[in-house]
Amino acid sequence: AIQLTQSPSSLSASVGDRVTITCRASQGISSSLAWYQQKPGNAPNLLIYGASSLESGVPSRFSGSGSGTDFTLTISSLQPEDFATYYCQQFNSYPLTFGGGTKVEIK
Amino acid sequence: QVQLVQSGAEVKKHGASVKVSCKASGHTFTSYYFHWVRQAPGQGLEWMGKINPTGTSTTYAQKFQGRVTMTRDTSTSTVYMDLSSLRSEDTAFYYCVRETEPYSSSSRLGYWGQGTLVTVSS
């Protein structure tokens, strides 16, 4: 199975900060990567698909980039509602796998 | 709008089985793949498997092969996940997930149920 390693596992940031989360795959997955946001008590919400395509309704401050083995999720200006845990997920091959998550907390 | 409403929380004994249901509405049920993803309390996400739009084909994660069965009932627009030989490590929230795009299995997991907590006690 393809392993996804996210870093950092947690971070503290302030409203308005630029935040970058990375996801590294154990082997090349082309652009077959998605990002999800999960808030406590809720199901995950799809933010980005295909490494860089923003899902409908997702604010433009979220962006994704990368291909092969290295990917990033960037929040250009952190908003209060963005404090959550973020997961990457690969869909290059089965089983689908997720990264361990990055918790974004308020500084 | 798309809605996925899952069955309520379950408490099961070690070795028992559980069947979680997910009733879908707001879309053409027979056009979409459904997946099941679980999450132990405070932990990350784990993909369990998927079922095709007609219910004739399933793909399971090897970890769950032999213990999981995914089915769907077109007459009630409901998908089911049956997990047997439960152990304490199976205590988790179980989510049904519908793909965003119809007909193809793109694994674009756009719509999630509210989750069902399954607790396994010894």
Side-chain angles (χ1 to χ4, degrees), chain B residues 1-121:
Chain B
Q1 73 282 21
V2 175
Q3 281 197 306
L4 303 176
V5 179
Q6 298 184 220
S7 49
E10 302 261 15
V11 179
K12 295 291 183 181
K13 293 284 191 184
H14 182 271
S17 296
V18 68
K19 191 168 188 174
V20 180
S21 67
C22 171
K23 185 169 178 59
S25 62
H27 65 267
T28 304
F29 180 70
T30 51
S31 297
Y32 294 90
Y33 281 78
F34 280 80
H35 300 242
W36 288 89
V37 174
R38 76 176 187 180
Q39 185 174 38
Q43 303 301 309
L45 301 164
E46 182 174 35
W47 181 79
M48 299 180 70
K50 67 173 185 178
I51 184 166
N52 74 339
T54 57
T56 56
S57 176
T58 53
T59 302
Y60 301 137
Q62 187 170 8
K63 174 177 179 175
F64 300 102
Q65 287 276 3
R67 281 210 303 146
V68 69
T69 304
M70 296 176 188
T71 56
R72 57 196 294 165
D73 182 344
T74 302
S75 67
T76 59
S77 299
T78 303
V79 289
Y80 298 93
M81 189 283 299
D82 199 320
L83 188 63
S84 62
S85 303
L86 291 169
R87 37 210 186 229
S88 58
E89 311 89 90
D90 294 319
T91 293
F93 287 92
Y94 289 78
Y95 293 101
C96 75
V97 191
R98 200 211 82 178
E99 294 213 13
T100 304
E101 303 296 327
Y103 309 117
S104 66
S105 182
S106 63
S107 299
R108 187 172 184 173
L109 307 181
Y111 296 92
W112 295 62
Q114 84 276 18
T116 296
L117 177 61
V118 175
T119 303
V120 182
S121 62

Side-chain angles (χ1 to χ4, degrees), chain A:
Chain A
I2 296 172
Q3 295 183 19
L4 298 178
T5 304
Q6 284 184 237
S7 60
S9 56
S10 65
L11 64 90
S12 295
S14 301
V15 172
D17 283 354
R18 182 181 182 89
V19 169
T20 298
I21 298 167
T22 66
C23 178
R24 174 164 288 177
S26 58
Q27 62 190 75
I29 58 170
S30 186
S31 297
S32 301
L33 191 95
W35 290 96
Y36 298 82
Q37 176 193 68
Q38 186 178 31
K39 297 181 181 179
N42 287 3
N45 180 48
L46 179 61
L47 300 175
I48 287 172
Y49 181 79
S52 60
S53 296
L54 203 64
E55 285 295 290
S56 174
V58 174
S60 58
R61 61 181 179 274
F62 291 93
S63 64
S65 64
S67 67
T69 59
D70 294 307
F71 301 86
T72 60
L73 172 70
T74 300
I75 309 172
S76 60
S77 178
L78 199 65
Q79 297 302 300
E81 60 268 30
D82 300 336
F83 292 95
T85 300
Y86 294 84
Y87 294 93
C88 58
Q89 174 237 323
Q90 66 81 22
F91 52 91
N92 183 75
S93 63
Y94 289 101
L96 304 183
T97 50
F98 293 86
T102 297
K103 187 173 184 179
V104 176
E105 299 175 300
I106 302 172
K107 182 184 282 185

